[in-house]
């Protein structure tokens, strides 16, 4: 796919260099809007501003807005700043309201003022209506362009209304039935209408059991509802059960991608970013990574302090220090495994705070099995290395036993820390992803060091 894209970009650039704009327009005519946006994203880096805007202007008016909505926000701003007022108006008026609202949230204030000034009263009201909802809520991601029907009309009248209003709606596959006060009372699919008796009343054939979400529901909660019920669209209601918008599956896919990316970045100790890798500048990348690196570096001095406090005792036992990296790495890996598993379970609503003791009991049993297995393998490994090296001495065996005991206890502690911290963080209102590998590794490193050195002091001194 990437090779095809590269070839297409090269072909378009060659056509532009030869001033064959008619052929460029023909190339775009046979492509999907999302694919055109991908080509434009590459062209923006290759072409001068004037030439790039000329290419964008080649797009037919009926698809320009759809292509525009698929572009990264920085390119959208780049285009808006280069278009005439008439061209900008055409794009905004042909965008779905939710896409236009997303655009407003990302643009500088000066650009927002210009766009709102150019938009029609209806479009401006729709955008402002969506912008009033909290960020990451169902209201902020819904669209107000849905097909609604009155409950007392006939199937024939319903189909006539869909033909009249459907062209501007995000979807008409499911229509929502309202009473006179715009309360949601049911839903009916286009299939049901097409196959139904033209004289039947909509209220007699509609489905009254409608799954809805509230305008203030968190977008992650909405995404889980889509996954649970396998919907293509879901109605959004206010506190009085009045229909105010719908959310479609394409918006949910974007949310799932955003949330997964954000969790991955937090778990890797990186501040979340909404830009793609190559469009994030060096300094921006630096700023997203350095805070956690500084925190983790400073926290790592704890382990250095622990080692310093046992330095004299460590010097008296040869070979003991060589096992410290292995114990710390194993502890960090064990804690990371537990934390990632629990974070995923929390995100899927499989684990709640009330389940903490069940989780602890399960992780203890897992830790015992993992710890014993690692200890046995490590004991045999060290024996073989001793036999091939300096020989199996009483001191070497005691060191080996000490390491294996510490290994078991470290894995146990790491699993408990790894499973408990995300649950506690979630209960306190923090993002559990913050408690993933880097943070837990730092805690487990300190615990494993103290355990190792205390056990070694007890058994070998």
């Amino acid at each position: 796919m990437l090779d095809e894209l590269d070839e297409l970009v090269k072909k378009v650039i060659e056509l532009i260099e030869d001033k064959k704009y008619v052929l460029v327009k023909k190339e775009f005519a046979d492509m999907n809007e999302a694919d055109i946006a991908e080509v434009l994203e590459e062209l923006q880096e290759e072409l001068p501003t004037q030439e790039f805007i000329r290419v964008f202007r080649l797009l037919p008016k009926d698809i320009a807005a759809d292509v525009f909505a698929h572009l990264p926000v920085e390119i959208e701003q780049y285009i808006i700043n280069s278009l005439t007022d008439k061209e900008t108006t055409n794009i905004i008026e042909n965008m779905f309201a939710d896409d236009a609202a997303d655009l407003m949230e990302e643009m500088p204030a000066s650009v927002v003022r210009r766009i709102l000034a150019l938009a029609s009263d209806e479009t401006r009201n729709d955008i402002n209506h969506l912008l009033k909802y909290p960020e990451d809520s169902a209201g902020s991601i819904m669209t107000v362009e849905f097909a609604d029907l009155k409950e007392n009309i006939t199937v024939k009248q319903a189909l006539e209304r869909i033909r009249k209003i459907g062209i501007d709606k995000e979807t008409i596959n499911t229509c929502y039935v309202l009473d006179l006060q715009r309360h949601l009372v049911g839903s009916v699919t286009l299939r049901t209408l097409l196959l139904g008796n033209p004289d039947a009343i909509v209220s007699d054939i509609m489905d009254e059991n409608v799954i809805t979400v509230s305008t203030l529901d968190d977008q992650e909660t909405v995404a889980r509802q889509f996954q649970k019920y396998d919907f293509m669209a879901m109605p959004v209601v206010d506190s009085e059960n009045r229909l105010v918008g719908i959310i479609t599956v394409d918006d949910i896919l974007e949310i799932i991608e955003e949330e997964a990316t954000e969790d991955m970045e937090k778990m890797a100790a990186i501040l979340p970013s909404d830009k793609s890798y190559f469009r994030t500048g060096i300094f921006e990348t630096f700023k997203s990574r350095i805070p956690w690196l500084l925190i983790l570096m400073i926290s790592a001095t704890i382990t250095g302090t622990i080692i310093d406090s046992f330095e004299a005792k460590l010097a008296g036992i040869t070979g003991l220090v060589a096992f410290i990296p292995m114990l710390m790495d194993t502890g960090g890996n064990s804690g990371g495994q537990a934390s990632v598993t629990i974070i995923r379970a929390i995100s899927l609503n499989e684990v709640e705070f009330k389940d903490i003791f069940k989780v602890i009991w399960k992780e203890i049993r897992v830790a015992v099995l993992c710890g014993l297995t690692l200890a046995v393998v490590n004991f045999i490994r060290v024996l073989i290395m001793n036999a091939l090296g300096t020989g199996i001495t009483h001191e070497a065996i005691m060191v080996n036993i000490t390491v294996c005991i510490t290994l078991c206890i470290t894995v146990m502690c790491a699993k408990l820390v790894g499973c408990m911290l995300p649950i506690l963080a979630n209960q306190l209102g923090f993002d559990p992803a913050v408690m993933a590998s880097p943070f837990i590794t730092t805690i487990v490193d300190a615990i494993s060091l103290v355990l190792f050195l205390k056990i070694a002091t007890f058994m070998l001194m």
Side-chain angles (χ1 to χ4, degrees):
M1 188 65 183
L2 289 175
D3 290 339
E4 291 178 10
L5 176 64
D6 290 340
E7 289 297 322
L8 184 56
V9 170
K10 290 178 182 177
K11 182 178 180 180
V12 171
I13 290 176
E14 289 175 2
L15 292 173
I16 293 170
E17 289 174 348
D18 295 336
K19 307 298 182 184
K20 297 179 179 178
Y21 296 110
V22 175
L23 294 180
V24 174
K25 189 173 183 177
K26 186 177 179 181
E27 285 287 338
F28 286 155
D30 298 327
M31 294 173 61
N32 181 274
E33 289 88 344
D35 293 330
I36 297 174
E38 203 167 359
V39 172
L40 289 177
E41 192 173 344
E42 296 294 324
L43 290 176
Q44 191 266 333
E45 297 180 353
E46 301 289 338
L47 299 175
T49 301
Q50 186 176 358
E51 203 67 63
F52 174 75
I53 296 302
R54 181 177 294 172
V55 173
F56 183 80
R57 285 175 171 144
L58 293 174
L59 298 175
K61 290 183 179 181
D62 57 336
I63 68 168
D66 291 334
V67 172
F68 184 84
H70 281 93
L71 291 168
V73 65
E74 57 269 23
I75 299 183
E76 289 180 331
Q77 183 178 342
Y78 182 78
I79 291 173
I80 287 291
N81 288 332
S82 303
L83 294 181
T84 64
D85 288 352
K86 183 178 180 181
E87 290 169 328
T88 301
T89 302
N90 177 68
I91 288 177
I92 298 303
E93 293 298 326
N94 283 285
M95 289 179 73
F96 288 116
D98 56 335
D99 292 330
D102 290 341
L103 177 66
M104 298 299 108
E105 289 182 334
E106 301 291 344
M107 291 290 171
S110 59
V111 178
V112 171
R113 284 194 294 269
R114 179 189 172 213
I115 292 174
L116 290 178
L118 294 172
S120 65
D121 291 341
E122 182 181 357
T123 300
R124 191 183 307 114
N125 289 336
D126 287 343
I127 293 173
N128 288 329
H129 177 70
L130 294 175
L131 290 176
K132 74 179 183 180
Y133 293 105
E135 187 179 1
D136 298 336
S137 67
S140 69
I141 61 172
M142 71 181 182
T143 180
V144 294
E145 285 132 341
F146 55 87
D148 61 307
L149 304 171
K150 298 300 182 185
E151 59 181 335
N152 56 355
I153 64 175
T154 65
V155 169
K156 181 180 179 180
Q157 291 172 322
L159 290 172
E160 288 175 353
R161 173 170 170 77
I162 292 171
R163 291 189 190 97
K164 182 179 178 180
I165 67 171
I167 189 67
D168 297 323
K169 305 307 177 185
E170 183 119 359
T171 178
I172 58 172
N173 291 333
T174 300
C175 301
Y176 299 96
V177 185
L178 311 178
D179 63 15
L180 296 178
Q181 288 75 42
R182 294 192 63 79
H183 294 125
L184 180 62
V185 294
S187 66
V188 61
T189 64
L190 183 60
R191 176 189 177 91
T192 301
L193 292 172
L194 288 172
L195 299 178
N197 184 340
D199 297 322
I201 303 300
V202 168
S203 60
D204 294 334
I205 62 172
M206 70 182 184
D207 181 3
E208 297 181 9
N209 182 27
V210 185
I211 307 297
T212 65
V213 293
S214 169
T215 52
L216 299 180
D217 285 347
D218 185 83
Q219 62 181 19
E220 285 193 76
T221 302
V222 177
R224 285 194 289 268
Q225 291 287 81
F226 269 81
Q227 290 176 314
K228 179 179 180 179
Y229 295 107
D230 198 24
F231 285 153
M232 296 300 290
M234 185 175 287
V236 183
V237 297
D238 62 13
S239 58
E240 298 180 4
N241 198 43
R242 287 192 296 260
L243 183 63
V244 292
I246 64 170
I247 298 173
T248 52
V249 70
D250 58 320
D251 296 316
I252 293 302
L253 290 175
E254 290 180 6
I255 289 166
I256 292 173
E257 180 183 358
E258 289 172 6
E259 296 292 345
T261 301
E262 182 178 327
D263 286 345
M264 288 172 64
E265 288 173 331
K266 287 180 178 178
M267 291 166 71
I270 301 173
L271 296 179
S273 171
D274 57 359
K275 293 183 180 179
S276 63
Y277 178 78
F278 287 111
R279 291 197 172 274
T280 305
I282 294 173
F283 190 67
E284 286 181 274
T285 305
F286 158 77
K287 288 196 298 182
S288 70
R289 297 182 184 182
I290 197 62
W292 267 107
L293 288 177
L294 287 171
I295 293 171
L296 294 174
M297 181 191 72
I298 294 170
S299 65
T301 58
I302 298 172
T303 57
T305 303
I306 295 171
I307 293 175
D308 285 342
S309 64
F310 285 86
E311 186 175 6
K313 294 178 181 179
L314 286 171
I317 307 173
T318 58
L320 201 61
V321 177
F323 292 100
I324 290 177
M326 182 270 292
L327 287 169
M328 292 173 65
D329 287 347
T330 302
N333 292 337
S334 299
Q337 286 181 335
S339 68
V340 169
T341 304
I342 296 303
I343 289 168
R344 179 182 181 276
I346 291 173
S347 68
L348 296 175
N349 272 356
E350 296 174 353
V351 169
E352 299 177 7
F353 182 73
K354 65 180 181 179
D355 302 316
I356 189 168
F357 293 110
K358 291 168 63 177
V359 172
I360 290 173
W361 175 231
K362 177 178 180 178
E363 290 298 329
I364 286 175
R365 287 177 288 173
V366 173
V368 169
L369 293 174
C370 291
L372 289 175
T373 303
L374 291 169
V376 170
V377 172
N378 184 72
F379 188 83
I380 295 172
R381 178 185 68 85
V382 175
L383 279 182
I384 293 173
M385 292 177 64
N386 287 337
L388 296 174
T390 57
I392 301 176
T393 63
H394 178 267
E395 182 182 358
I397 292 177
M398 290 303 296
V399 169
N400 196 359
I401 292 173
T402 300
V403 171
C404 292
I405 292 174
T406 306
L407 196 58
C408 288
I409 300 175
T410 296
V411 170
M412 177 85 68
C413 292
K415 294 285 188 188
L416 290 177
V417 170
C419 74
M420 289 171 60
L421 280 184
I423 297 176
L424 294 174
N426 188 59
Q427 179 66 14
L428 294 172
F430 297 110
D431 191 333
V434 176
M435 295 296 170
S437 297
F439 191 74
I440 288 175
T441 298
T442 302
I443 297 175
V444 171
D445 283 350
I447 292 174
S448 60
L449 259 181
V450 172
L451 286 172
F452 182 41
L453 298 175
K454 287 289 186 182
I455 292 172
T457 301
F458 175 76
M459 294 188 65
L460 303 176
M461 298 299 175

